Each structure stands twice: as C-alpha cells, then as structure tokens.
Amino acid sequence: MRTFAQRRGRELLAALCSTAMALALAALPLTAHAAPAAGTAGAAAGSAQGAPERPAPGPDPDPSLPAHALGRADAPLDNPLKGFARFYQPGSDQNTGYPHSLTWSYFGLSEVMNDASDCRHYDWGALDSALDETASYGNQAAIRFYIEYPDGTGSHPANAIPPCFDGHVDNRVNTHWNTISPDYDSPYLLDALKDFIAAFGARYDGDPRIGFIHMGLIGLWGEWHTWPYDTDTSNDSYPNYMPTDAHGAEIIRAYDKAFTHTKIEVRYPESAGGAADDLPAVGYHDDSFCFREGSPLAGVTLPASMGGASYAQLQKALDHGVENRWITASMGGEVRPQIQSTAFDSWPGGSGEVDDMKACLELEHTTWKINEGSAGYSPTDPKVAAAVRLMGYDLGVDHAYFHDTAQGSTKVGVRISNNGVAPFYYPWTVSLGLKDSSGKVVTSWATPWDLRTVMPAKIRAFPDWGVGSDPTYLTYGRAQYFDTTVDLSGVASGDYRLVMKAKNPLEDTSPNAKKLRFANSGQKADGWLDLGAMTVGSGGSGGTTDPAGYEAEADGNTLTNTAAVADCAGCSGGAKVGYLGNGATLTFNRVDGGDGGTTPVTVHYATAVARSATIQVNGGPPRTVDFAPTADWSTPGSSTVRLDLDAGTGNRITIANPSGWAPDIDRITVT
C-alpha cells in the first residue's frame, strides 16, 4: 500500500503526532489502490479451490511411554516470524512500541545495481547493513526492492532505476506521482532483473536474518501497479506502463526459482495474469488489509460474499483458486494505514472503515502485517493480543511422553497442536535437553521433528464453499505426535528437567534473537520448554530402569459404556479413567509382554473406598483383584499382580467389574 507518513524520512515520522499522521493518510486517493485490480475483476470467477482435504493423521503416542500433561498458557506477543512488523529506522531502537519480532524495509534497486557500466555488479552493502542492525535487536527482516518510489523514503532514493539501464531502457513519466517508470517490457531490463533476482537468491536464500521477501521491483513502491498508468485504460486517457502478463510471469518465476528456502510473496493473486497460481511456494501480500472503502463501503480483503469489492484480495484468491495457498506459503502485507490506529478497537468484528478483523485474519490465514501504527498500542490491550496470537502459528505441547527414570537409550515423545491460523513455515531444528538443578542445559540432542507439519486445528470456511452459514469452522489439523530415542550414557546420575527447544537460526548470528516459545506454562524465556522431571540412573547401558508404563487415558485404549476420562491432579499425566464396572470396561491395547511368560503388572489406581475389579489378558479367564482404599479420589495407590503375557506388543489387558464399581485407573506398569 502506498503511504506517505510512514514511508517518508524516519526523522519526519518520529516528529509527527498521531493526529497529523492520520490527516496525511486520509488525504491519499482511495482509488489509487482500487484501480489496479478492477480491470481483471471476475476474470476467473467460479474457480474457488474449496475446502482443503484434511491432512492424514500421524502416529499415535507410544503406549509404552508414560504421559505427562503440560499446562497451557498464552504465547508471548513477539514470537518470531509472526505478528506485526515495524518500519526500519537506521540507528533507532527496534524494540519499542507493541512487542514484535519483524522489521520492514525497502531498498532501491539502484543501491545494489550501482555500476553504470555493469548490470551484473552488485553492491549489497546497504542491505547487509540493515539486516545486521535488525538482527542485533533479535528481529528478522521483511524486505522489498523497488525501482520507483514517489518522493523516496528519506534514506532511499525516489528514482532507483539502475544507472546501467541508461541508453538501453526507455523511461516514461508518471505525472500523477511524478516518478520515472522504466519500460518493464524491455528485454534488456527483463534480463537484468532476472540476473539480479538470481544473484539475490544465491546470496540470501535461507539467510536467518530474513523472514519474508516481497517480490517487488515492478511498479510504484514495487507493488505491481502503476496507477493511473495501468492496465485499466477504459475510463481514462493514461497509457499502460505495466509489463505484459508474460513478462511479469518471468519475474515471478525467477523469484520462485531463486528462493527455495526463504518465504516469498507477490502482491496480487492476479499479478501477471495469475502467474503464481501453480507455484505453491509463492504467497501473497495484502497491503490494504481489512480496509473498507467507497460508497457504500466495500471490503478490500474479504470476498464479495462477505461484503467485499470485486477486486478484494480474497475475492481474487477465490477467482484464481488459490484461497488455500497459506498451506504452503506465507500471507503477509500491511494493515491499511488509514485504520491502523483503530483496527482492533472493535475486535473481533469491525466498524466503519475497519472490516471484520477476525474474519480477515482467519480467512486470509494471515501470518504477519506491516503495522507502524502498532507503536501506539498498549501491550496489555487484550483485543490486540488476541489478534496477534491468532496470526500465524500458535504452537502448544499438550503432553510429553517419557519414563520418569531412565538410563542408556530411552525414548521421548511430545504431542504438539496449533491454535493459530497458519503453519510455522521454516524447518527450525527441534532439540531435547536436560537441565540440572541450577537451570543449566547439561546435554542436548537434535531431533528430526518438523514443526511445519503441525497444521491449524481448525479453519474458517468461505461462504463460497457452501459448507454452512458464516461463520463455519472446519476441523482441519491434528495434534502431531513426535518421538525420538536419546542416549543418556554420558549423563551423570541425578535429577534433571527434561526440556525441548525449537532453535531460531538467528541465534547463531545474534545473542538477542527472539526465541520461538510454545503456548505452555512451562515455557522459559531462554527458549527451552520444561517437559517434566527425569531421573537419570547409574550405568551406561541397559535402557530404562523403570517399568514400561501405559496411561489409562491414552488414545489407543478402548473404553466401553460409562467408562470416561477424568481430570486427576495426583495422577500421572493429570488424568484417569473412572466409572468402570457395572458393564463398563477399560482395555489397554498393545501392551509389550517382552519375551512372554508370567510378568509383574502394577495397577495404579485411585478409590476412596475398598473396591474390586477383574483383570483379563487377551480374552482369557478373568482374575479378581481387591483394591484397598487410597487417600482420596485423586491420590493413586498401586497393586501388583502377576499376569501371563504373550511375547511382543499385541497383549490386551482389560479391567472391569461385572457386579459393581471398580476403582478409577491411573495407569499400569509392566516390569
């Protein structure tokens, strides 16, 4: 979105009061944004992709591992690679205002391509300087290169046509904005831009200092429009300064080829005739996010089915069948500057020029937005906090799975869910570790776990999908279970805290790098999530020292009739199975009997009164066991019986009582 107050000199921005800024923004012509898309409205109407297929389920938790329930808590507001981005101001503190982890900046192409005699000479100094400064504050950058920028940014040029274009590329004047537009159809220019993009990607693809790249380069502010000198010539006398769709597609494909790690975005779903339609790695950049304009007011983000204009961002996404592109690519942009100060006042809905903000976030699956106006938000504003936590990913661990006491090689698992609107898009390394009593990480192990597979638990349906009235939410992602085996042979015996961390690769560049933090009460500021206590036994081999444990509430068990999972503060995993007996049964499936034979099995239970139960193995004759009272219904006791188990993991142990109530069951352990 073209703006003046935010994109002029940074010194001017610092001096403006909010009232003056609002007046400056209000003076902008609303049609400057509406016009670029209007010429192609409805070009591919009716081609919406529809509700995406739900991802296949992953593996179930290992039933041999005791489950440890983790408490949920709100994730921090400045989690990396999501939320708001503030403008880069050289030499200024980037961590003022509302908490954020992204910094937005433009760069003129002529600042890098500055050799008049060689279009393949690139001086990356300006970019590296900004990236290094941004990283020093612990933030990642979101960036765009441009060629023409009305009035410049104050620290970057208005005319950024590389000097090596002189004599090779024709220039035109945009009298409305007083800018120089190069001939975007020039073969010389196209070759030079594609060479630049290739060099850009070769140097910066995967750079941990960069979070997102807007393709830029084409049009005013690099926003892929040259209004009013644009493709819509039906109602004006202005010639078209935009490249042909075929030439625009060459630029989009060049970016797609050059950046296979860093997330890239293009302005419009219809840019270059929808050249990104079949490029799953290309996201979109809605830079008039959740604004309503015109008379009567119409949204420029939400689709026509929700009061949006024909040129609205999500209407175009539906027209091109890319409304589910968020599954593979990021959705960025900018909160329309005119509404930044009030955008969340009416959360979760909207008012006046602010459209239904929650619907905008949910249907676009927004990960990040430029929002310079967020500098004035209160960090304790619950409405803004709700919106920021909804944006992008919101990862939480509901259970960890591990033996409380272990040695040698032992397996550890976690189950992670996502309550945000988008996945986490980067393959950051997830590690497990052990902290000693002082909080020091004494050892750690990298895992192969991929956070990108944890999809949002639910998604909001477009009315256009015809699956229900608005709002309709569809069950989508599933809690993903991951496990791995770690080697404790080099760890001294003692008591530790088992911890987990997803490492921001920026930590290798900056000690201030923002840590990815989970929505859990055990999340620490150092990035490590506390999974629970683990005692490491003596010796260097031999596996776990405690019996194999099976939680009563585990997903793989079978409950019949009234049997139900209930909270239990004193129980392993924070839960138990109650209302057993009188026809209700609990069956532990896939119990490992080792080599087979008579095996001690300990039943961990809770009952405030004496009760009995039958225990049956693999459908054999039931055995009646008496259970003494425990302190209360939340304090487990235990009773050990010897059962004949088959070899392997196919055993079924059923607990019941045909003529009365059985005790509540916490878990069983098999020695």
Side-chain angles (χ1 to χ4, degrees):
M1 229 300 290
R2 67 278 159 274
T3 68
F4 290 155
Q6 276 94 340
R7 299 182 186 176
R8 281 181 175 165
R10 299 304 131 202
E11 300 78 14
L12 175 60
L13 174 63
L16 288 173
C17 69
S18 59
T19 301
M21 187 181 299
L23 290 172
L25 294 171
L28 292 172
L30 299 183
T31 53
H33 172 72
T40 56
S47 58
Q49 188 176 29
E53 183 178 354
R54 191 179 183 197
D60 292 328
D62 188 329
S64 70
L65 298 176
H68 302 259
L70 273 64
R72 181 167 176 83
D74 287 337
L77 299 171
D78 60 348
N79 246 340
L81 299 177
K82 62 170 287 183
F84 299 140
R86 293 280 304 283
F87 281 88
Y88 173 62
Q89 302 179 39
S92 297
D93 186 349
Q94 293 188 17
N95 288 330
T96 60
Y98 198 82
H100 59 283
S101 64
L102 288 166
T103 299
W104 169 258
S105 187
Y106 292 93
F107 298 90
L109 185 61
S110 62
E111 296 178 85
V112 173
M113 295 175 61
N114 56 14
D115 190 323
S117 62
D118 186 0
C119 274
R120 292 189 176 183
H121 171 83
Y122 308 108
D123 179 356
W124 303 103
L127 177 54
D128 276 325
S129 177
L131 295 179
D132 286 342
E133 185 177 359
T134 294
S136 73
Y137 287 97
N139 297 331
Q140 262 107 358
I143 61 176
R144 175 199 295 166
F145 276 92
Y146 67 87
I147 293 178
E148 47 184 316
Y149 194 123
D151 295 332
T153 71
S155 54
H156 300 285
N159 180 1
I161 299 174
C164 63
F165 286 10
D166 289 352
H168 301 282
V169 179
D170 292 335
N171 294 324
R172 296 83 52 91
V173 177
N174 184 321
T175 58
H176 184 89
W177 297 104
N178 194 29
T179 59
I180 304 298
S181 290
D183 178 5
Y184 291 109
D185 289 316
S186 161
Y188 189 92
L189 174 143
L190 290 169
D191 287 344
L193 293 188
K194 288 185 288 186
D195 288 343
F196 163 78
I197 293 166
F200 185 19
R203 183 178 176 91
Y204 293 101
D205 187 30
D207 191 315
R209 298 173 298 175
I210 301 176
F212 306 97
I213 294 175
H214 185 290
M215 290 187 182
L217 294 177
I218 303 297
L220 296 159
W221 301 279
E223 290 181 357
W224 286 71
H225 74 83
T226 49
W227 185 89
Y229 294 81
D230 55 13
T231 56
D232 181 12
T233 59
S234 59
N235 296 314
D236 58 49
S237 59
Y238 298 105
N240 176 21
Y241 286 177
M242 284 293 287
T244 65
D245 286 346
H247 290 152
E250 292 183 36
I251 302 301
I252 291 175
R253 287 195 296 268
Y255 268 108
D256 184 60
K257 180 179 179 180
F259 289 93
T260 59
H261 298 90
T262 302
K263 306 309 292 184
I264 53 175
E265 299 168 359
V266 69
R267 173 61 185 92
Y268 303 104
E270 75 273 21
S271 292
D277 287 358
D278 298 320
L279 300 176
V282 177
Y284 299 105
H285 186 96
D286 179 3
D287 70 5
S288 281
F289 183 71
C290 222
F291 184 62
R292 293 202 298 171
E293 66 183 8
S295 180
L297 290 172
V300 299
T301 290
L302 294 178
S305 61
M306 301 181 71
S310 62
Y311 52 81
Q313 185 81 3
L314 290 177
Q315 183 59 51
K316 287 299 183 180
L318 288 165
D319 291 346
H320 284 264
V322 293
E323 72 269 27
N324 297 319
R325 177 58 54 83
W326 60 271
I327 295 173
T328 55
S330 60
M331 298 293 133
E334 181 178 22
V335 178
R336 180 79 166 227
Q338 287 96 317
I339 63 171
Q340 287 178 5
S341 63
T342 60
F344 303 95
D345 288 356
S346 298
W347 174 269
S351 179
E353 291 183 322
V354 180
D355 213 337
D356 185 332
M357 182 59 69
K358 190 167 187 278
C360 288
L361 291 175
E362 290 177 330
L363 289 172
E364 190 177 83
H365 297 269
T366 303
T367 285
W368 69 280
K369 286 287 181 257
I370 305 166
N371 188 354
E372 187 67 15
S374 67
Y377 296 166
S378 167
T380 60
D381 187 328
K383 297 178 180 179
V384 180
V388 169
R389 292 192 173 103
L390 186 62
M391 294 170 71
Y393 64 91
D394 185 37
L395 301 174
V397 181
D398 57 41
H399 284 83
Y401 302 83
F402 59 91
H403 294 290
D404 300 329
T405 302
Q407 65 182 37
S409 295
T410 189
K411 184 182 286 187
V412 176
V414 296
R415 191 168 63 182
I416 305 176
S417 58
N418 184 353
N419 289 313
V421 298
F424 184 75
Y425 290 109
Y426 283 96
W428 287 6
T429 299
V430 179
S431 295
L432 294 168
L434 291 176
K435 282 187 175 181
D436 63 17
S437 58
S438 70
K440 177 183 177 182
V441 179
V442 297
T443 190
S444 63
W445 308 271
T447 76
W449 304 345
D450 190 346
L451 296 180
R452 295 174 297 178
T453 64
V454 188
M455 287 289 169
K458 65 178 183 179
I459 60 174
R460 184 166 177 166
F462 283 84
D464 309 71
W465 291 350
V467 296
S469 59
D470 183 66
T472 293
Y473 292 92
L474 305 178
T475 301
Y476 185 66
R478 308 168 193 266
Q480 291 292 306
Y481 173 74
F482 305 92
D483 65 25
T484 193
T485 299
V486 300
D487 184 5
L488 299 170
S489 59
V491 180
S493 299
D495 296 330
Y496 299 91
R497 304 298 298 185
L498 180 66
V499 292
M500 180 184 83
K501 178 179 181 179
K503 182 183 177 182
N504 183 344
L506 192 65
E507 293 179 53
D508 293 331
T509 300
S510 170
N512 299 317
K514 304 281 171 67
K515 311 298 192 296
L516 188 154
R517 287 144 291 173
F518 293 89
N520 288 100
S521 55
Q523 178 64 62
K524 307 303 180 184
D526 61 2
W528 290 99
L529 170 63
D530 192 313
L531 301 178
M534 174 180 278
T535 298
V536 177
S538 60
S541 61
T544 59
T545 60
D546 62 331
Y550 302 83
E551 292 291 324
E553 71 274 14
D555 291 341
N557 295 339
T558 302
L559 282 64
T560 66
N561 295 332
T562 58
V565 175
D567 292 337
C568 176
C571 295
S572 172
K576 63 181 180 179
V577 171
Y579 294 101
L580 288 169
N582 290 313
T585 64
L586 163 66
T587 299
F588 292 87
N589 298 308
R590 292 164 47 187
V591 176
D592 191 348
D595 295 330
T598 302
T599 305
V601 176
T602 299
V603 180
H604 301 262
Y605 69 96
T607 178
V609 297
R611 287 187 174 176
S612 64
T614 59
I615 301 179
Q616 187 178 37
V617 178
N618 298 327
R623 174 179 176 179
T624 300
V625 178
D626 293 326
F627 293 89
T630 59
D632 52 45
W633 291 102
S634 297
T635 303
S638 64
S639 178
T640 301
V641 295
R642 298 180 68 82
L643 302 176
D644 291 330
L645 301 181
D646 294 339
T649 60
N651 291 282
R652 294 174 287 109
I653 297 178
T654 300
I655 298 177
N657 185 333
S659 58
W661 291 113
D664 296 348
I665 304 300
D666 174 14
R667 61 189 172 116
I668 62 172
T669 52
V670 181
T671 303

